[in-house]
């Protein structure tokens, strides 16, 4: 593969023969060379919460995790609901000089769920989708208008599916584990009833709709049915919802507290099947950095979320190793399908495509040490876990933004 002027110039055998001395040659034998990974869902915390993460640390973490592009959720301080905030993010990302950052704009002003944000302005400034992530759009009439409005701008509407009247502040999944440990819980139906409502509005408006961090078997069933109906719906799942269950919360480990909460083994099985068969389009990290101030408190008081950019590859590769996901599906769910869901460039290694490339060593064995990660925050439940597989090279627009060749 020859990379020149930021694009993939040639792919094939025997290219190295006729090249001059100024060409850098990277030996990738035994490695996977895949289109740069694309994360549809992360929280870079800038502006406003730089003590957790900023665009510099977040994009370096992304590059080290093999991501060539990330979508930054709008629940910053202030939220990304105006042109000025979007432009700030775009500018800071350019200054950071690492992976591509695609801002996701707010659906509603102030993420308050009352009045729609100026989506045209947000799109012009660089937003690639809209979401009130962190919060659902509870008002069905507002959601309908959001879908209609977003459609006129060709923007995908991304919903954090949670009926707040059902979830009611629940800190983990409702079920036997929550009962046993005595933690206030939210039922899986808090997610699936919102998915069901939105799919009806998606059918009514014809707008592109994306379910963020889908977590329950029932939500999978609804999306599968909607796809069969031909609705323009896509969805994503996080590595942690594919890997952990609510049992992980039984020790009140706040690193395992996330929203939607970790579900049951039965849900995990359905999510894995749906990822393999394509019902679930994409793996997205929902990388959510928090400081000890938010996490070293009682379980019910702790903030939701965990970091995920640097652990996504080995966690999804566990499924490949177990024969649950083909290597080709790994690439589709981590790059090609995310690109398609939001209409982003990338996701391809054909001649003429932007040179966004991730090189993975599928056998690299390492142990997750949060202090060794690039993220400013260390809130990961995977600390100490034995991992296999990691990015050894991340290239964005022909430029190497991460090289981990000499790491163990
Ligand atoms: Zn969310």
């Amino acid at each position: 593969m020859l990379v020149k002027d930021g694009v993939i110039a040639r792919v094939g055998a025997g290219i190295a023969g006729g090249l001059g001395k100024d060409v850098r040659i990277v030996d990738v034998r035994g490695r996977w060379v895949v289109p740069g990974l694309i994360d549809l869902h992360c929280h870079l915390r800038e502006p406003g919460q730089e003590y957790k993460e900023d665009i510099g640390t977040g994009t370096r973490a992304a590059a080290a995790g093999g991501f060539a592009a990330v979508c930054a959720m709008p629940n910053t301080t202030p939220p990304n609901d105006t042109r000025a905030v979007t432009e700030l993010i775009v500018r800071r990302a350019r200054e950071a000089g690492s992976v591509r950052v695609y801002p996701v704009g707010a659906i509603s002003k102030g993420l308050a769920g009352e009045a729609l944000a100026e989506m045209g302005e947000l799109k012009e400034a660089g937003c690639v989708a809209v979401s009130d992530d962190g919060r659902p759009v509870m008002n069905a009439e507002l959601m309908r208008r959001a879908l209609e409005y977003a459609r006129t701008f060709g923007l995908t509407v991304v919903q954090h599916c949670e009926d707040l009247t059902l979830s009611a502040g629940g800190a983990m999944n409702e079920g036997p584990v929550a009962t046993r440990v005595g933690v206030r819980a939210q039922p899986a139906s808090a997610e699936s009833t919102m998915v069901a409502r939105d799919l009806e509005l998606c059918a009514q408006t014809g707008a592109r709709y994306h379910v963020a961090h889908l977590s329950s078997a029932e939500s999978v069933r609804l999306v599968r049915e909607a796809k069969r109906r031909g609705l323009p719906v896509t969805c994503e799942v996080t590595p942690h919802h594919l890997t952990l269950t609510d049992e992980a919360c039984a020790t009140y480990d706040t690193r395992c507290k996330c929203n939607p909460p970790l579900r049951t083994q039965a849900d995990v099985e359905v999510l894995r099947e749906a990822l393999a068969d394509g019902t679930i389009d994409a793996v997205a990290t929902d990388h959510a950095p928090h400081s000890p101030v938010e996490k070293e408190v009682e379980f019910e008081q702790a903030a939701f979320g965990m970091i995920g950019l640097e652990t996504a590859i080995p966690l999804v590769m566990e499924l490949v190793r177990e024969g649950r996901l083909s290597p080709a599906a790994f690439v589709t769910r981590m790059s090609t399908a995310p690109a398609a869901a939001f209409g982003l460039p990338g996701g391809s290694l054909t001649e003429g495509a932007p040179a966004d490339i991730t090189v993975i060593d599928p056998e690299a064995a390492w142990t997750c040490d949060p202090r060794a990660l690039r993220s400013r925050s260390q809130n990961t439940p995977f600390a100490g876990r034995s991992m296999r597989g990691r990015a050894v090279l991340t290239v964005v627009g022909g430029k190497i933004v991460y090289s981990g060749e000499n790491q163990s």
Side-chain angles (χ1 to χ4, degrees):
M1 182 180 300
L2 178 67
V3 171
K4 198 179 171 191
D5 301 328
V7 299
I8 295 167
R10 276 178 66 196
V11 181
I15 292 172
L19 298 175
K21 279 195 181 127
D22 55 341
V23 175
R24 177 171 174 181
I25 294 176
V26 180
D27 186 348
V28 293
R29 276 176 291 189
R31 307 279 159 82
W32 290 9
V33 181
V34 306
L37 305 186
I38 299 172
D39 186 8
L40 291 179
H41 193 135
C42 80
H43 300 272
L44 298 179
R45 303 300 192 209
E46 186 177 353
Q49 296 183 317
E50 290 84 350
Y51 69 100
K52 298 181 181 185
E53 193 83 284
D54 64 32
I55 289 169
T57 58
T59 53
R60 281 195 291 281
F67 290 97
V70 297
C71 297
M73 286 293 148
N75 56 340
T76 47
T77 315
N80 183 12
D81 62 353
T82 54
R83 176 194 295 272
V85 178
T86 307
E87 286 174 350
L88 171 89
I89 293 166
V90 169
R91 189 170 65 246
R92 290 284 299 113
R94 198 181 303 126
E95 287 164 6
S98 183
V99 309
R100 300 181 199 273
V101 175
Y102 297 115
V104 174
I107 292 173
S108 68
K109 287 179 181 156
L111 309 175
E114 285 160 13
L116 292 179
E118 294 294 343
M119 292 183 195
E121 197 177 276
L122 291 170
K123 178 167 186 185
E124 257 179 46
C127 286
V128 298
V130 288
S131 179
D132 273 1
D133 186 54
R135 300 177 194 180
V137 177
M138 279 293 287
N139 183 315
E141 195 271 337
L142 188 79
M143 187 62 179
R144 175 198 171 173
R145 285 198 290 119
L147 287 160
E148 285 169 345
Y149 196 38
R151 190 184 172 194
T152 65
F153 299 110
L155 289 166
T156 303
V157 177
V158 182
Q159 175 79 297
H160 167 117
C161 290
E162 176 186 358
D163 186 313
L164 296 170
T165 63
L166 277 170
S167 60
M172 65 179 285
N173 183 51
E174 185 177 299
V177 182
T179 306
R180 194 174 82 225
V181 299
V183 169
R184 197 145 58 110
Q186 51 172 295
S189 59
E191 175 179 275
S192 54
T193 54
M194 186 65 93
V195 173
R197 182 203 77 177
D198 283 354
L199 288 171
E200 287 306 303
L201 297 174
C202 173
Q204 185 184 343
T205 59
R208 281 170 58 158
Y209 172 71
H210 180 83
V211 184
H213 43 54
L214 175 140
S215 70
S216 78
E218 185 60 14
S219 299
V220 168
R221 188 188 67 75
L222 289 163
V223 169
R224 185 174 283 138
E225 196 177 275
K227 286 189 166 184
R228 242 178 241 139
R229 285 166 74 191
L231 300 188
V233 57
T234 50
C235 66
E236 69 192 29
V237 67
T238 72
H240 47 279
H241 286 104
L242 289 166
T243 314
L244 301 174
T245 68
D246 54 358
E247 286 287 354
C249 301
T251 55
Y252 308 100
D253 182 349
T254 60
R255 295 172 305 178
C256 298
K257 183 178 173 182
C258 53
N259 199 13
L262 299 171
R263 304 286 185 192
T264 67
Q265 190 61 41
D267 291 298
V268 170
E269 290 302 321
V270 169
L271 293 173
R272 289 174 169 188
E273 276 166 30
L275 186 69
D277 73 20
T279 303
I280 297 177
D281 300 85
V283 174
T285 67
D286 195 8
H287 176 81
H290 288 296
S291 80
V293 174
E294 291 89 19
K295 281 295 192 180
E296 288 177 10
V297 295
E298 274 184 53
F299 193 85
E300 292 197 10
Q301 270 72 55
F304 290 107
M306 61 181 75
I307 57 171
L309 286 168
E310 293 166 86
T311 48
I313 285 179
L315 292 174
V316 181
M317 292 232 358
E318 286 181 13
L319 301 179
V320 177
R321 201 160 282 117
E322 289 167 18
R324 306 290 302 262
L325 192 70
S326 69
F330 174 97
V331 175
T332 305
R333 307 290 177 263
M334 300 283 282
S335 180
T336 314
F342 289 3
L344 308 173
S348 165
L349 290 181
T350 52
E351 290 178 6
D356 289 10
I357 304 162
T358 301
V359 180
I360 296 170
D361 180 351
E363 297 305 328
W366 58 290
T367 302
C368 178
D369 173 5
R371 290 164 306 177
L373 301 178
R374 270 98 183 143
S375 175
R376 181 163 289 148
S377 293
Q378 303 184 357
N379 54 305
T380 171
F382 298 108
R385 188 181 179 105
S386 295
M387 303 285 200
R388 253 170 95 194
R390 78 186 314 176
V392 290
L393 195 69
T394 308
V395 177
V396 176
K399 182 184 151 208
I400 293 174
V401 295
Y402 173 75
S403 173
E405 281 295 337
N406 299 320
Q407 300 220 345
S408 58

